[in-house]
Amino acid sequence: MKALIGALAVLTLLTSGIANSAEPSGQAVYEKWCLPCHRAGQVGSVQLQQRYKGAIPAVLTERTDLQPALISVLVRKGGQVMPIFRKTEISDVELEALATYLTKPTK
Amino acid sequence: MILPPGVSQRRFTSALREFEQIVGKEWVFSSDEDLGTYRDAYSPYWDEKIDRIPPVALCPANVEQVRAVLKVANLFKVPLWPVSTGKNLGYGGSAPAHPGTGVLDLKRMNRILEVDDKNHYALVEPGVSYFDLYRHIRDNKLKVWIDSPDPGWGSPMGNTLDRGVGRTPMQDHWSNVCGLEVVLPNGDLVRTGMGAIPNSKSWQHFKYGFGPYVDGIFSQSSYGVVTKMGVWLLPEPEAYLVGNVTVPKRDDVIPLVDMLSYLMNTGVVQGQTYIQNMLNGFAPDLLALRAKPGGASEAELQAYADTHGGYWSLALPIYGTKELVAAKWQVAQRKAAEIPGARIEVQRSYDLPMPEEDALKLDSPCEVSVPSLNIFNTVAMPMKGNGHMFAAPVIPMRGSAVIESLDVMRKAMEDIGCRDYMAVPASTFFARSLTILVIYPTYKDAERNRKSREALKHMVKVCGEHGWGDYRAHASFMSEAAEAYSFNNHALRRLHETLKDALDPNGIISPGKAGIRPRNER
Ligand SMILES: Cc1cc2nc3c(=O)[nH]c(=O)nc-3n(C[C@H](O)[C@H](O)[C@H](O)COP(=O)(O)OP(=O)(O)OC[C@H]3O[C@@H](n4cnc5c(N)ncnc54)[C@H](O)[C@@H]3O)c2cc1C
């Protein structure tokens, strides 16, 4: 019985922990949803390299010129090959955190 | 916006209010902006009047909400297209087959209910992606492999319900399903197999349960909304070797495929491989040879093959314990050596587990159970277009069928002057058969899309006439794919429709899925 109460207590702690961490991490959102295509050598980076011919970095996290508006448009309307992301995948709050992360001068 | 057939704007608005009561206002999407996120990002009808953009998207959080939503959908005759993770790009994305159908987005139901690394299975909800399941297994150090399709963005549930494929020995996903929970169109809740026993202890251990085995009718289907699925997993192998066999002459493909068939049906070779015609590459001298007026003669092609390493090449994936992999490779070499002139070599070989960063350097990390999006580098890069769509005819696992289908398919495209497509060589998606994935580009341009659509439809039709039906179809071309399955004046369609009418008389789940129309649309 004692063990059970212990387990329940841990469970409650965990859930309240999740509830309290309302502030999503932009980096975590990026790594979950964007990195697989935007790491060096993958399709996003390869195509952006072709587009900008090295004038700006091909990897998004190395860019200093990104604007939140461009990120929102790409995420909610998609690019060419880049698909659209829905609110059940990336919520508005997460999108904001993602945009903040990608537009910070150092990441 | 296109409303459901026969539903007025007023009735539709009332239905939305009811849906909001069930799932909460913020999980009923009806603005143009939000609905735009449910359209097919690679649509072959981009921005045309009949582009498939749903009139509503609903996102329930649990099974009870799904049941309540379906009751209201019946009442108001609002059809819904369920998606698990909605990444069916190339086959229609998250968008329904018909523009007046709403989307039932199950992404929020995303619990991994169980992963067992002693009996090797998982029980998942719809919204669990391959990435999610992989991370759970990795972080908990469980000794099991998932079998992700090339893109890891989809879900065991969604991919498996569309009878998708991966690359490891568990690649035929539907064959590894063990136990479903389904909400029927009338809102009733069923568990299949041993799950029908209250407090069952073996739901993911024994597929069949008792009585008629019904699981299959929920795949590629509009007979229910699946809310839980048991999937069998592979015990983590110790080693992985890819052998390679190259043969010199055109007709060598016949013994080559017979050998492959033997090796696969005895379990020596497992996983995805393909019959590569080495004369279908993109080398400039080869392209020049093929582009000659009148095309290259067979003698010229053979001469090219003689000086460029062979005519056909076949990789042989082998998985297992270290001893088994060594022994299986011995068998494979012995069998391959029976083909005169065969060149046999180890292409690559690994001890497992492989560090994740090394796996991610592979073209297809999912060969070693690591989900990724690397495939976009190989598929998307050489293709023109903004997206793409697939046709996927199935041929028997015979060398003669490989030769015949290549000739027929090439001619079908030449006949209509189509050069804008890519055919993946005949692949071992499913046991005893080969699948030829044909990829057509899609654009944000109506005229070029029209050409791509016509080409895909022509390919499906010609293949169907040769008895090569598709294993799966794009939501825009499901009726076309179903057309090939016409034995006895479409007896199978009549059976599908009988089931549809019995289970879903109001036609509220996925009208048009697999070409099956509800009574009110026939
Ligand atoms: C470059 C590229 C490569 C690809 N490679 C592969 C590959 O190797 N193998 C492969 O199989 N596919 C491949 N695909 C196709 C596709 O991306 C995957 O199959 C993907 O897993 C499907 O999306 P999903 O898992 O999110 O399923 P979803 O989109 O959620 O669903 C797929 C289908 O099942 C139905 N469905 C989903 N959930 C339910 C439910 N709960 N109840 C009832 N019906 C439901 C949906 O209506 C839909 O028709 C590829 C696509 C691209 C663009």
Side-chain angles (χ1 to χ4, degrees):
Chain A
M1 194 59 192
K2 221 169 164 187
L4 192 63
I5 293 170
L8 277 178
V10 171
L11 257 182
T12 332
L13 263 180
L14 276 178
T15 18
S16 62
I18 289 165
N20 285 340
S21 68
E23 192 71 13
S25 148
Q27 182 176 350
V29 176
Y30 179 79
E31 284 170 5
K32 177 163 184 190
W33 294 102
C34 322
L35 187 64
C37 283
H38 281 286
R39 67 160 53 90
Q42 290 308 321
V43 66
S45 307
V46 174
Q47 292 204 356
L48 291 174
Q49 172 66 30
Q50 285 167 359
R51 180 179 298 170
Y52 296 119
K53 313 248 172 335
I56 46 175
V59 176
L60 290 182
T61 44
E62 289 166 19
R63 300 253 302 250
T64 51
D65 65 315
L66 283 171
Q67 295 298 317
L70 176 72
I71 293 162
S72 302
V73 168
L74 264 291
V75 169
R76 292 285 186 237
K77 295 194 186 302
Q80 313 260 312
V81 171
M82 181 171 152
I84 302 167
F85 294 89
R86 296 176 275 277
K87 289 181 180 171
T88 46
E89 298 174 310
I90 299 175
S91 68
D92 281 338
V93 181
E94 286 168 336
L95 178 54
E96 223 182 285
L98 173 66
T100 308
Y101 169 68
L102 283 176
T103 50
K104 267 197 317 211
T106 53
K107 299 167 204 45
Chain B
M1 184 214 287
I2 299 179
L3 290 176
V7 177
S8 68
Q9 180 66 57
R10 211 169 51 92
R11 283 288 283 172
F12 188 66
T13 310
S14 310
L16 295 190
R17 294 294 92 79
E18 298 278 334
F19 288 137
E20 285 173 2
Q21 294 293 317
I22 300 165
V23 299
K25 213 170 159 40
E26 76 267 44
W27 297 114
V28 175
F29 294 116
S30 57
S31 73
D32 286 346
E33 199 185 335
D34 286 332
L35 293 175
T37 66
Y38 287 89
R39 72 193 297 184
D40 179 0
Y42 297 171
S43 173
Y45 288 95
W46 187 264
D47 273 355
E48 292 181 54
K49 250 220 255 31
I50 57 163
D51 199 5
R52 299 165 296 118
I53 304 179
V56 63
L58 308 168
C59 315
N62 55 49
V63 178
E64 285 316 310
Q65 290 187 3
V66 173
R67 301 180 71 178
V69 160
L70 294 196
K71 294 217 165 102
V72 171
N74 270 294
L75 211 58
F76 288 86
K77 310 271 188 300
V78 173
L80 298 171
W81 180 275
V83 298
S84 289
T85 34
K87 294 292 187 196
N88 210 8
L89 289 139
Y91 293 106
S94 48
H98 298 172
T101 303
V103 172
L104 186 64
D105 174 357
L106 304 170
K107 177 68 194 167
R108 293 176 67 214
M109 296 168 61
N110 61 1
R111 290 176 305 163
I112 298 169
L113 297 165
E114 193 184 358
V115 178
D116 183 312
D117 71 350
K118 303 293 178 289
N119 269 208
H120 315 109
Y121 66 79
L123 179 65
V124 293
E125 290 191 329
V128 175
S129 72
Y130 285 102
F131 282 118
D132 296 335
L133 188 55
Y134 167 75
R135 287 184 192 119
H136 175 91
I137 289 169
R138 181 194 64 189
D139 296 349
N140 290 285
K141 301 192 165 41
L142 301 172
K143 300 279 175 221
V144 276
W145 268 21
I146 61 163
D147 183 80
S148 174
D150 264 314
W153 58 12
S155 46
M157 176 88 75
N159 182 278
T160 303
L161 287 176
D162 219 21
R163 299 203 292 261
V165 292
R167 289 186 182 270
T168 78
M170 308 300 266
Q171 68 173 141
D172 173 356
H173 292 167
W174 183 258
S175 77
N176 291 305
V177 168
C178 189
L180 299 177
E181 180 184 83
V182 188
V183 181
L184 297 181
N186 66 4
D188 205 0
L189 185 69
V190 195
R191 287 184 176 181
T192 67
M194 301 306 270
I197 300 172
N199 301 319
S200 169
K201 304 284 187 294
S202 47
W203 194 14
Q204 274 60 61
H205 302 252
F206 178 56
K207 289 181 182 182
Y208 309 131
F210 182 71
Y213 179 58
V214 293
D215 293 41
I217 69 165
F218 297 107
S219 67
Q220 295 190 355
S221 132
S222 57
Y223 302 150
V225 178
V226 183
T227 46
K228 290 186 184 66
M229 178 185 277
V231 290
W232 284 350
L233 305 171
L234 187 73
E236 184 180 75
E238 290 174 7
Y240 172 43
L241 177 147
V242 185
N244 201 78
V245 182
T246 311
V247 291
K249 303 274 179 254
R250 182 180 197 252
D251 288 345
D252 289 341
V253 73
I254 292 166
L256 184 72
V257 174
D258 287 347
M259 173 204 75
L260 175 66
S261 183
Y262 177 84
L263 293 176
M264 294 203 92
N265 294 349
T266 49
V268 171
V269 166
Q270 294 172 297
Q272 204 184 118
T273 182
Y274 52 81
I275 322 292
Q276 168 98 41
N277 180 330
M278 294 170 75
L279 303 173
N280 273 354
F282 295 100
D285 50 348
L286 188 56
L287 292 178
L289 183 64
R290 285 207 177 276
K292 277 183 22 170
S297 71
E298 192 45 49
E300 285 169 323
L301 288 173
Q302 186 61 61
Y304 186 94
D306 292 343
T307 49
H308 289 79
Y311 209 111
W312 303 94
S313 144
L314 171 67
L316 299 174
I318 296 176
Y319 293 89
T321 62
K322 291 195 172 97
E323 307 89 311
L324 270 176
V325 168
K328 286 172 168 185
W329 177 228
Q330 289 296 324
V331 178
Q333 289 179 92
R334 179 158 62 76
K335 287 285 164 190
E338 289 171 10
I339 306 173
R343 207 173 67 234
I344 307 160
E345 62 211 341
V346 174
Q347 192 190 83
R348 47 207 172 94
S349 164
Y350 313 96
D351 284 341
L352 301 173
M354 186 185 294
E356 190 179 272
E357 57 280 16
D358 292 346
L360 286 171
K361 289 179 195 138
L362 301 177
D363 280 351
S364 290
C366 61
E367 282 173 11
V368 292
S369 186
V370 176
S372 78
L373 293 173
N374 288 12
I375 185 69
F376 282 90
N377 249 354
T378 45
V379 170
M381 298 306 293
M383 289 294 283
K384 288 181 241 162
N386 304 124
H388 36 265
M389 54 185 181
F390 306 118
V394 175
I395 65 172
M397 193 180 278
R398 286 206 187 97
S400 54
V402 172
I403 292 181
E404 188 193 356
S405 61
L406 281 181
D407 288 348
V408 167
M409 292 167 83
R410 182 180 292 125
K411 178 159 184 312
M413 291 299 96
E414 276 169 12
D415 284 350
I416 58 164
C418 171
R419 308 182 65 141
D420 217 3
Y421 72 104
M422 189 162 101
V424 179
S427 305
T428 57
F429 284 9
F430 304 99
R432 290 173 176 75
S433 63
L434 294 166
T435 304
I436 300 170
L437 197 71
V438 194
I439 313 178
Y440 293 90
T442 59
Y443 301 90
K444 305 261 143 94
D445 172 86
E447 179 50 25
R448 285 197 286 176
N449 275 340
R450 188 189 60 76
K451 286 200 178 132
S452 260
R453 292 196 305 261
E454 292 313 314
L456 182 144
K457 284 192 212 173
H458 186 64
M459 181 65 95
V460 168
K461 182 162 170 289
V462 171
C463 287
E465 287 162 2
H466 284 81
W468 308 320
D470 288 61
Y471 93 89
R472 181 178 179 186
H474 188 288
S476 285
F477 310 105
M478 288 182 161
S479 323
E480 283 84 351
E483 211 38 58
Y485 293 81
S486 66
F487 169 76
N488 189 16
N489 192 24
H490 280 287
L492 183 61
R493 178 184 294 163
R494 289 196 298 280
L495 173 60
H496 286 158
E497 288 174 351
T498 303
L499 287 169
K500 182 71 181 167
D501 294 347
L503 291 168
D504 186 13
N506 292 321
I508 55 137
I509 307 275
S510 304
K513 170 64 82 61
I516 303 165
R517 287 167 186 273
R519 199 196 312 252
N520 57 344
E521 291 186 23
R522 296 205 285 270

